Amino acid sequence: MRPEKKFWQEIKNKTSNVNWTRIESWASPGVPDLFGVFKGLSTKKGIQFWAELKCNKLQKVIISSKQIAWHYAHTKHGGVSYIFVKISNRTHGPGGIAIFPGSMSRELHTHGLDLLNQGSGYMIPDPWTGEQLLKYLELQPSV
């Protein structure tokens, strides 16, 4: 099984209270892999977002120019999107899931996971739970 598919299965299994729609990237280049909606854990408000999945063993995160353009346009028009990076086999700290707002896609492509050391993004170390992920997403500004 490919790493991104395995990552998708892990997310789906850990977040059963999220209604996920998986998008086939060949259908529309640049569109993120997932659309999710869930009721906030504390607010009970509906929270909607897009998520791009990446799997990394190294510091570099490869994001295409079409993905960068999509995230910037979506954010500019008030949409919410994230890039979820599954980190494994790191020599510089624990594995886990790093979360970056879609508006940082260009910076993430340029600087990679070093952005975490610069105070950007959010890291949930292994073993991470769906509740940790959803609590973080719930606390983010909706627009």
Side-chain angles (χ1 to χ4, degrees):
M1 186 180 304
R2 290 185 12 219
E4 275 188 19
K5 186 170 185 176
K6 190 174 180 182
F7 185 27
W8 154 237
Q9 292 296 324
E10 181 180 18
I11 288 172
K12 186 170 77 167
N13 291 337
K14 291 184 178 187
T15 57
S16 59
N17 52 339
V18 177
N19 180 12
W20 291 108
T21 301
R22 188 155 186 233
I23 310 297
E24 295 297 331
S25 61
W26 57 264
S28 187
V31 174
D33 301 309
L34 303 173
F35 178 76
V37 61
F38 69 99
K39 266 191 190 165
L41 303 173
S42 61
T43 64
K44 301 302 180 202
K45 245 177 46 177
I47 297 169
Q48 299 181 41
F49 62 96
W50 289 86
E52 178 66 39
L53 303 181
K54 299 292 179 183
C55 294
N56 273 49
K57 292 182 181 178
L58 306 172
Q59 291 293 105
K60 186 164 182 59
V61 179
I62 299 169
I63 302 171
S64 75
S65 59
K66 290 181 188 218
Q67 290 171 325
I68 292 169
W70 188 96
H71 281 285
Y72 272 92
H74 189 68
T75 301
K76 178 182 171 184
H77 291 91
V80 178
S81 66
Y82 298 96
I83 300 166
F84 296 169
V85 183
K86 175 69 175 171
I87 303 168
S88 58
N89 299 332
R90 284 192 76 195
T91 55
H92 305 294
I97 180 173
I99 306 165
F100 297 91
S103 60
M104 292 188 70
S105 57
R106 180 176 292 129
E107 293 83 357
L108 184 58
H109 177 75
T110 303
H111 302 287
L113 297 175
D114 284 337
L115 288 177
L116 290 170
N117 300 330
Q118 298 169 18
S120 297
Y122 182 73
M123 177 72 177
I124 305 172
D126 280 333
W128 65 275
T129 67
E131 186 174 343
Q132 289 173 299
L133 175 62
L134 299 183
K135 278 183 181 178
Y136 172 78
L137 295 175
E138 184 176 9
L139 293 174
Q140 301 314 298
S142 58
V143 193

